[in-house]
Amino acid sequence: MNTKTLRVDSTNPDPVAIAHAAELLRAGRLVAFPTETVYGLGANALDPAAVRSIYTAKGRPGTNPLIVHVAEPAQVLNVAAAWPETAQRLAAVFWPGPLTIVVPKAAHVPAEVAAGGPTVAVRCPNHPVARALIAAAGVPVAAPSANRSTELSPTRAEHVIKGLNGLIDLVLDGGACPGGIESTVVDVTGDTVRLLRLGLIPVAMLEHVVGELATHGNREPADFVARAPGQMAKHYSPRTPLRLVADADLEAEFITACHAGKKCGLLRLPDNPELAATMLYDTLHDMDESGFDLILAELPPNTPAWAAVRDRLMRAAAIGCA
Ligand code: TXA
Ligand code: MG
């Protein structure tokens, strides 16, 4: 397959390009597109064969369900069998935006989307290209991050091509994704809202709306060991081995590694966690291209503000998360 890239304006995408991409989706094909978090790999969520081809292109285990994206919050009623009051409260505040809500699945949504389970994850993204595409397609769009399974999520069209060239039909290139890491995932099907994956929306903001979230493990951010099926210990990983080092030890570790003959890359984080999220995967993608033997990355503080970036880095290093 020949993968085509179409450049579109990120705030005001060309309707002709969007219509072409939407037509591909309706025809059961795969289209990667930018969201405010990372690039997604989209297929018509109501077409079982199209959804299966997402798993094939990504090399994704069939046990890991997909997020269904809708253009307008009201469209969630097309894919959910129930919309609990907590979901409504969360959606009213955080949609469109980087929050994914797990709800009971409507019967007509193919089992493949939900990896055979009774629930479906839904998200209304807040990126003009994503919203225009989903609206034009006229169907809900299943979209995991547009990378091969376990690898770094893509924040630019070039990253999508690096992993999926020849495996998908089209990439809508809307430039860099502003958020840089994935959405926060919560499950509202139980008595208490449960946190499944740390992400761009901080836990404290969610708790402001629905009260204390259930997590498993204690409430130290590092122990928010997510329960979403896709949260393997090794995930979001560069191809280059990555080691996390406390800020104070970075220099010494770097010198030791260089003395040992290793070509070593250093990943230092900006002071602001949002900025760190925006640059995280982008920098790791670049470092992966640089021929390093090892990446030494600064371990962010174990504080709520740094929880999501710390989570991604720990998974990139494949440590600490069961
Ligand atoms: O920011 C994002 O969420 C991006 C953009 C493209 O929207 N998407 C994304 O998708 O990160 P993916 O497939 O890479 O991660 C989805 C996560 C996985 O951990 C998956 O297991 C979980 O959401 N998930 C999906 N459906 C679920 C369900 N029904 N129950 C529990 N977890 C679910
Ligand atoms: Mg992913």
Side-chain angles (χ1 to χ4, degrees), residues 37 46 103 172 188 192 200 273:
T37 60
L46 303 179
V103 290
L172 282 179
V188 299
T192 327
L200 275 182

Side-chain angles (χ1 to χ4, degrees), residues 35 37-41 58 60 64-67 69 100 102 113-114 119-121 123 143-145 147 181-183 185 196-197 228-231 236:
T35 80
T37 60
V38 300
Y39 273 75
L41 177 57
K58 280 183 61 91
R60 183 179 177 105
N64 189 0
L66 306 176
I67 298 173
H69 296 69
T100 296
V102 172
V113 170
T119 59
V120 64
R123 170 161 118 76
S145 51
N147 52 284
I181 62 170
E182 299 81 354
S183 62
V185 183
L196 299 185
R197 178 176 72 180
Q231 298 288 289
Y236 314 112

Side-chain angles (χ1 to χ4, degrees), residues 244-247 269 297-301 310 313-314:
L244 280 174
V245 182
D247 189 27
L269 301 169
E298 177 186 339
L299 176 66
R310 186 176 159 105
L313 273 169
M314 290 178 81

Side-chain angles (χ1 to χ4, degrees), residues 293-321:
D293 303 312
L294 175 68
I295 297 170
L296 290 177
E298 177 186 339
L299 176 66
N302 190 5
T303 59
W306 282 96
V309 168
R310 186 176 159 105
D311 170 81
R312 296 309 189 272
L313 273 169
M314 290 178 81
R315 290 176 202 281
I319 54 165
C321 303

Side-chain angles (χ1 to χ4, degrees), residues 27-147:
R29 317 300 283 267
L30 299 183
V31 175
F33 59 94
T35 80
E36 73 276 32
T37 60
V38 300
Y39 273 75
L41 177 57
N44 176 356
L46 303 179
D47 176 342
V51 172
R52 280 197 294 275
S53 66
I54 289 183
Y55 286 88
T56 310
K58 280 183 61 91
R60 183 179 177 105
T63 48
N64 189 0
L66 306 176
I67 298 173
V68 174
H69 296 69
V70 293
E72 295 296 332
Q75 289 163 357
V76 76
L77 300 172
N78 298 335
V79 292
W83 189 239
E85 191 255 331
T86 42
Q88 182 52 37
R89 294 218 311 264
L90 289 168
V93 178
F94 299 108
W95 279 8
L99 178 69
T100 296
I101 307 178
V102 172
V103 290
K105 182 180 86 64
H108 67 273
V109 173
E112 286 86 347
V113 170
T119 59
V120 64
V122 283
R123 170 161 118 76
C124 180
N126 183 23
H127 189 293
V129 175
R131 297 193 73 183
L133 174 65
I134 303 161
V139 291
V141 174
S145 51
N147 52 284

Side-chain angles (χ1 to χ4, degrees), residues 3-321:
T3 303
K4 217 169 96 178
T5 301
L6 267 182
R7 173 91 207 155
V8 287
D9 188 285
S10 63
T11 50
N12 189 18
D14 173 16
V16 177
I18 293 292
H20 172 64
E23 188 51 46
L24 286 173
L25 285 177
R26 276 197 302 275
R29 317 300 283 267
L30 299 183
V31 175
F33 59 94
T35 80
E36 73 276 32
T37 60
V38 300
Y39 273 75
L41 177 57
N44 176 356
L46 303 179
D47 176 342
V51 172
R52 280 197 294 275
S53 66
I54 289 183
Y55 286 88
T56 310
K58 280 183 61 91
R60 183 179 177 105
T63 48
N64 189 0
L66 306 176
I67 298 173
V68 174
H69 296 69
V70 293
E72 295 296 332
Q75 289 163 357
V76 76
L77 300 172
N78 298 335
V79 292
W83 189 239
E85 191 255 331
T86 42
Q88 182 52 37
R89 294 218 311 264
L90 289 168
V93 178
F94 299 108
W95 279 8
L99 178 69
T100 296
I101 307 178
V102 172
V103 290
K105 182 180 86 64
H108 67 273
V109 173
E112 286 86 347
V113 170
T119 59
V120 64
V122 283
R123 170 161 118 76
C124 180
N126 183 23
H127 189 293
V129 175
R131 297 193 73 183
L133 174 65
I134 303 161
V139 291
V141 174
S145 51
N147 52 284
R148 296 277 298 167
S149 190
T150 79
E151 296 192 345
L152 285 175
S153 296
T155 57
R156 295 176 184 276
E158 297 88 308
H159 305 156
V160 178
I161 290 293
K162 191 165 71 173
L164 297 174
N165 194 23
L167 298 169
I168 65 176
D169 292 276
L170 177 68
V171 185
L172 282 179
D173 177 358
C177 299
I181 62 170
E182 299 81 354
S183 62
T184 306
V185 183
V186 294
D187 179 339
V188 299
T189 60
D191 293 338
T192 327
V193 178
R194 275 200 311 142
L195 177 68
L196 299 185
R197 178 176 72 180
L198 291 159
L200 275 182
I201 304 270
V203 168
M205 284 175 72
L206 299 172
E207 294 192 324
H208 193 71
V209 178
V210 289
E212 193 168 316
L213 301 186
T215 60
H216 68 297
N218 66 35
R219 289 188 55 81
E220 285 300 301
D223 291 330
F224 279 153
V225 182
R227 276 208 185 138
Q231 298 288 289
M232 294 83 89
K234 182 176 162 58
H235 205 149
Y236 314 112
S237 301
R239 292 171 186 174
T240 315
L242 180 143
R243 184 141 39 94
L244 280 174
V245 182
D247 189 27
D249 302 330
L250 257 186
E251 199 177 314
E253 289 268 346
F254 180 77
I255 292 169
T256 308
C258 292
H259 279 311
K262 287 204 160 77
K263 190 179 174 210
C264 197
L266 257 189
L267 173 61
R268 284 193 183 274
L269 301 169
D271 288 342
N272 174 317
E274 278 101 57
L275 212 58
T278 301
M279 55 78 82
L280 181 66
Y281 293 146
D282 199 23
T283 308
L284 288 173
H285 275 287
D286 280 352
M287 293 182 102
D288 245 356
E289 301 294 305
S290 303
F292 293 123
D293 303 312
L294 175 68
I295 297 170
L296 290 177
E298 177 186 339
L299 176 66
N302 190 5
T303 59
W306 282 96
V309 168
R310 186 176 159 105
D311 170 81
R312 296 309 189 272
L313 273 169
M314 290 178 81
R315 290 176 202 281
I319 54 165
C321 303

